[in-house]
Amino acid sequence: MSGRFKRYGRWVYRDPRWPALRIAAKRRDGWACIQCGSKHRLEVDHIVPVRDAPERAFDLENLQTLCCSCHARKTKKEANLPELGPDRVKWRELLNRPLPN
Ligand SMILES: [Zn+2]
């Protein structure tokens, strides 16, 4: 990786290695969310966020399969936001506000 430091991890999802790696992670986890066992709307998450460990972006050991609600919960925790419960409308309103520091 050359050039300036890349933030937010978006570059990972454009990498030609990512689609195969994402499938490998889901297959390893049995095509189910590792937290709640759901098999719907699965996403592959970086255990250590890419922004903290870009060198582990393509490390299968650093990937886990989560459903979209468990993934959203983890992302919310990482952003240090308070738990709001499953009220999606409130969550969406919060997303549209500037985050406090
Ligand atoms: Zn889940």
Side-chain angles (χ1 to χ4, degrees):
M1 211 189 311
S2 60
R4 46 192 179 146
F5 182 66
K6 295 169 182 169
R7 295 179 84 179
Y8 304 123
R10 277 172 190 262
W11 57 275
V12 173
Y13 309 112
R14 295 203 196 106
D15 190 287
R17 285 170 291 176
W18 177 249
L21 202 61
R22 192 178 58 197
I23 290 168
K26 287 183 183 177
R27 188 182 294 141
R28 181 201 58 195
D29 293 335
W31 303 94
C33 172
I34 59 150
Q35 294 204 345
C36 73
S38 170
K39 300 200 172 192
H40 296 288
R41 302 194 60 185
L42 298 176
E43 294 169 2
V44 174
D45 174 59
H46 289 88
I47 298 169
V48 180
V50 172
R51 63 174 182 272
D52 294 337
E55 73 281 4
R56 298 191 66 190
F58 301 107
D59 179 358
L60 190 57
E61 297 292 306
N62 191 39
L63 300 175
Q64 61 185 356
T65 305
L66 295 176
C67 69
C68 72
S69 58
C70 290
H71 194 197
R73 205 175 304 139
K74 178 177 186 273
T75 306
K76 194 160 49 161
K77 242 177 232 171
E78 282 168 5
N80 280 324
L81 291 169
E83 290 285 342
L84 285 178
D87 191 333
R88 291 189 140 228
V89 178
K90 274 187 185 167
W91 172 232
R92 214 172 290 157
E93 281 171 8
L94 195 77
L95 278 178
N96 290 330
R97 275 180 218 154
L99 295 173
N101 283 317

